[in-house]
Amino acid sequence: MNSASHGRDLPGDGLAAQRPQHQTCVFCEIIAGQADLGVCLPVSDGFVAFPAKHQRPGNRGHMLLVPTGHYTTLEQLPAAHVTSWLTAVTILSAAVRDTFHATGTTVRMNLGPPGQDVAHLHTHLIPRHPDDGFATARSHALSLPDRLAITRQLAPHLDAHQAVDDGGPPSHRAP
Amino acid sequence: MNSASHGRDLPGDGLAAQRPQHQTCVFCEIIAGQADLGVCLPVSDGFVAFPAKHQRPGNRGHMLLVPTGHYTTLEQLPAAHVTSWLTAVTILSAAVRDTFHATGTTVRMNLGPPGQDVAHLHTHLIPRHPDDGFATARSHALSLPDRLAITRQLAPHLDAHQAVDDGGPPSHRAP
């Protein structure tokens, strides 16, 4: 069992006890380990990441960075999370680049309709490659085993970049 | 003459004196008022916005949010700018939504190649509408008068949202 998939046990999630949750939110379910067991990685205080369900063929490794608390808008995000969010984007971006041998990343947040399809604030972290046809390529749905494979592939690279940020290796992930 | 287009005179730009500049950077030129006079609006401390040169037909009002200092990567952005950046995204997103009667926005940052076409960190703020075909629509280049029109259209809405954030109306923009 991977403790990283259980919301209340998420190490580095200092706000777990008081974070707002929403009973019918698919992201809250993933964070709480009710779905997609093991697909979820802690990134920085109050933020986790898991592979997006729909990915473009040329951009395998498209991750979603999500606050563990249920916030719908940027205005609702607690001030304490702002620095943590940018740290998370920086760490995850570097890890995604390393894992998928990307030359860069695209960071995207859809705020409100029609872009925001889940009412739980989230940031897309997408590996980019030369001539990836990103702007025009259609996405396709990934299976759970495929998403688990992406998570396992990313985990050690995330470890490495978290270690740089924290000044030491993290000990919070199951082997 | 619009003082907002002159880098060293940008009100709210507390780091103007010591901000790094790059002589051949098109964004540094715009911020310094050497190009596109009047197209540039101050948003929050250390950040300005101007219309993107290429915009999709259904998403008129696509703005670029840019630090006044020349930073290429997220890692180079001073810690003091992080909160200021998220404040700027929140304010500009609300102003873009109001100005262009959008239902939401898309916030995008391209970090490194092939997405990042200018080596000066920048965030795209894009108005979104139902059925705007955003993912597939091609962009086209805007003329300078057209970009100036967008800037003038946005300015009062930016004022309104900055006033909410600051607790008072800003007095830094030419009428």
Side-chain angles (χ1 to χ4, degrees), chain A residues 74-75 111, chain B residues 40-44 47-52 61-66 84-100 102 104-107 122-127 150-151 154-155 157-162 165 173:
Chain A
L74 213 48
E75 289 86 346
L111 304 174
Chain B
C40 193
L41 295 168
V43 181
S44 70
F47 288 88
V48 297
F50 45 85
H62 177 162
M63 303 293 290
L64 299 182
L65 176 67
V66 179
S84 181
W85 177 81
L86 206 76
T87 301
V89 168
T90 307
I91 290 173
L92 187 58
S93 177
V96 161
R97 216 170 46 222
D98 290 356
T99 310
F100 303 102
T105 58
T106 283
V107 181
H122 55 287
T123 307
H124 299 256
L125 248 298
I126 307 160
I150 287 175
T151 299
L154 183 74
H157 295 279
L158 196 55
D159 272 349
H161 287 283
Q162 284 167 325
D165 192 65
R173 202 162 301 121

Side-chain angles (χ1 to χ4, degrees), chain A residues 102-175:
Chain A
T103 52
T105 57
T106 283
V107 181
R108 192 182 64 212
M109 229 183 328
N110 295 312
L111 304 174
Q116 188 175 0
D117 51 354
V118 175
H120 185 134
L121 200 63
H122 54 287
T123 307
H124 300 256
L125 249 296
I126 307 160
R128 299 294 309 276
H129 308 274
D131 305 318
D132 57 8
F134 178 73
T136 50
R138 300 280 172 140
S139 66
H140 64 281
L142 298 189
S143 67
L144 175 56
D146 205 8
R147 282 186 286 152
L148 278 168
I150 288 175
T151 299
R152 291 194 191 113
Q153 196 179 349
L154 184 73
H157 294 278
L158 196 56
D159 271 350
H161 287 283
Q162 284 167 325
V164 169
D165 193 64
D166 296 346
S171 56
H172 57 246
R173 203 163 300 124

Side-chain angles (χ1 to χ4, degrees), chain A residues 21-43:
Chain A
Q21 297 291 290
H22 196 284
Q23 287 198 330
T24 61
C25 171
V26 63
F27 287 177
C28 284
E29 280 184 3
I30 289 174
I31 293 164
Q34 292 166 31
D36 295 4
L37 192 68
V39 89
C40 193
L41 294 168
V43 181

Side-chain angles (χ1 to χ4, degrees), chain A residues 2 8 13 53 55 58-59 63 81 92-93 96 119 128 130 166 168:
Chain A
N2 184 349
R8 296 219 167 267
D13 177 16
K53 196 162 182 181
Q55 308 206 358
N59 305 93
M63 303 292 291
H81 278 45
L92 187 58
S93 177
V96 162
R128 299 294 309 276
D166 296 346

